[in-house]
């Protein structure tokens, strides 16, 4: 889908009411209202921004009346705006002859920078409009490392069967980092575990995944198929680092089984842990691998119930663009069928 360029912006005269306000007037708002983030109300940006497009229009036409007609504002309003702009800057931008104007050297130098700034605003506007396009917009989606090899690629493949041009900005990280990304506006949605409970987030459980006790293939327990977790109380564990959801689940399950695990290594990725188990460094509680790994045996944990819930989360009250809304509906439709059997 090609974005059609919008018609030239035509502003009403009410948009220029600020040109009749003294330049030292305080901005509207209740006492104590903070200024717009990053924009000091007394800065050049705040002072000049409303008049930059007017200046560029007059400079292009070199005629105030024609520029006013093109921008659909009264000629007197535009003339006053240009006079105030020059007064604010303390520099003559135009040489005037009747209603015909020409740029001074200072005006020409100023126009170059103004046109660059206006072009950047135009690019920014087109970018956010493109990201919100229902057919080809963008979804910023975060997911756990353990979901990256199979689950997320399959989800995106299935979604793009009906939405082939939607773009994804993908972030693979641990749970707490993704929740921080939601709060910072860097992510639209994230697939995480445990399912978070926080007043500023909305989360929906989608599926659950059994965890297994992974041991080396020459381990004393390797001949077993099932095990109670308490039977591994004397083992050394390899786990994910604190802050990872799977680490929290491991600690909670071991506590429920009556012991605190002795940790030999804390990592960032589940398959690294599986490799270290194969090397004999310890045992681990892990979700099933996408591909069976040699050198380890994976035991079903019969007690306590060793599962992790997987869900989707988003920032409460955060408006969705059409592509984000469509992908959210798709994820929710996969409730109970998110993970491979």
């Amino acid at each position: 889908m090609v974005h059609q360029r919008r018609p030239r912006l035509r502003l009403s005269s009410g948009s220029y009411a600020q040109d009749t306000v003294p330049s030292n007037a305080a901005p509207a708002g209740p006492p104590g209202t903070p200024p717009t983030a990053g924009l000091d109300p007394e800065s050049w940006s705040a002072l000049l921004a409303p008049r930059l497009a007017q200046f560029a229009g007059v400079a292009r036409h070199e005629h105030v009346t024609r520029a006013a007609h093109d921008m659909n504002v009264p000629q007197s309003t535009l003339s006053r705006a240009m006079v105030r702009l020059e007064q604010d800057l303390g520099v003559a931008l135009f040489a005037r002859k009747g209603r015909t104007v020409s740029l001074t050297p200072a005006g020409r130098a100023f126009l170059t920078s103004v046109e660059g700034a206006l072009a950047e605003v135009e690019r920014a506007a087109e970018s956010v409009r493109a990201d919100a396009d229902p057919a080809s917009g963008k979804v910023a989606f975060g997911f756990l490392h353990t979901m990256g090899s199979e689950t997320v690629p399959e989800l995106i493949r299935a979604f793009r069967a009906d939405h082939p041009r939607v773009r994804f900005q993908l972030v693979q990280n641990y749970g707490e980092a993704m929740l921080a990304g939601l709060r910072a506006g860097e992510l639209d949605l994230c697939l995480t575990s445990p399912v978070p409970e926080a007043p500023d987030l909305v989360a929906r459980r989608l599926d659950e995944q059994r965890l297994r006790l992974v041991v080396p293939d020459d381990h004393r327990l390797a001949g077993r198929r099932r095990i109670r977790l308490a039977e591994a109380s004397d083992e050394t564990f390899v786990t994910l680092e604190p802050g990872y959801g799977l680490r929290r689940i491991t600690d909670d399950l071991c506590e429920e089984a009556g012991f605190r695990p002795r940790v030999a290594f804390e990592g960032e990725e589940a398959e690294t842990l599986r490799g270290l188990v194969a090397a004999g460094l310890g045992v681990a509680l892990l979700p099933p691998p996408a591909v069976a790994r040699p050198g380890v045996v994976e035991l079903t944990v019969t007690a306590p119930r060793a599962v992790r819930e997987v869900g989707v989360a988003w920032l409460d009250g955060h408006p969705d663009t059409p592509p984000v809304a469509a992908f959210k509906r798709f994820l929710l439709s996969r409730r109970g069928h998110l993970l491979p059997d």
Side-chain angles (χ1 to χ4, degrees), residues 19 23 44 47-52 54-56 58-59 64 77-98 100-108 110-111 114:
D19 288 322
S23 60
W44 283 115
L47 184 66
L48 301 180
R51 294 193 291 274
L52 295 183
Q54 297 169 296
F55 165 74
V58 174
V64 176
T77 298
L78 190 57
S79 294
R80 287 196 302 270
M82 294 303 95
V83 169
R84 285 200 57 215
L85 177 61
E86 292 176 308
Q87 290 173 344
D88 289 337
L89 289 173
V91 176
L93 301 175
F94 299 103
R96 292 169 172 80
K97 187 174 182 180
T100 300
V101 297
S102 60
L103 288 170
T104 64
R108 196 165 299 282
F110 189 54
L111 178 63
V114 167

Side-chain angles (χ1 to χ4, degrees), residues 252-266:
D252 290 346
L253 287 172
C254 290
E255 181 180 358
E256 191 175 347
F259 69 97
R260 183 176 181 178
R262 291 184 293 112
V263 176
F265 175 80
E266 296 173 329

Side-chain angles (χ1 to χ4, degrees), residues 144-146 172-174 239-241 244 265-273 276:
L144 299 169
H145 291 89
T146 51
Q172 192 174 23
N173 215 325
Y174 65 98
T239 73
L240 297 181
E241 294 177 350
Y244 283 69
F265 175 80
E266 296 173 329
E268 299 180 350
E269 207 276 321
E271 287 310 302
T272 299
L273 301 185
L276 294 175

Side-chain angles (χ1 to χ4, degrees), residues 144-151 207-214 246 269-271 274 284-293 296-301 306-310 339-341:
L144 299 169
H145 291 89
T146 51
M147 301 286 164
S149 62
E150 187 174 358
T151 300
D207 214 337
E208 67 177 30
Q209 187 174 45
R210 286 194 172 274
L211 302 180
R212 300 167 177 175
L213 185 71
V214 184
L246 188 56
E269 207 276 321
E271 287 310 302
R274 194 171 259 107
L285 276 170
L286 295 173
V291 178
R293 186 182 188 113
V296 300
V297 174
E298 311 214 358
L299 309 178
T300 299
V301 179
V307 299
R308 67 169 179 171
E309 291 188 338
V310 177
L339 302 171
D341 295 331

Side-chain angles (χ1 to χ4, degrees), residues 21-46:
V21 179
S23 60
N24 61 352
T33 300
T36 302
L39 186 60
D40 185 334
E42 296 182 0
S43 69
W44 283 115
S45 298

Side-chain angles (χ1 to χ4, degrees), residues 10-11 21 33 38 44 54 87-88 90 112 134 155 179 215 277 331:
R10 302 181 70 83
L11 302 173
V21 179
T33 300
W44 283 115
Q54 297 169 296
Q87 290 173 344
D88 289 337
T112 299
L155 286 173
L179 300 186
V215 303
V277 171
L331 290 176

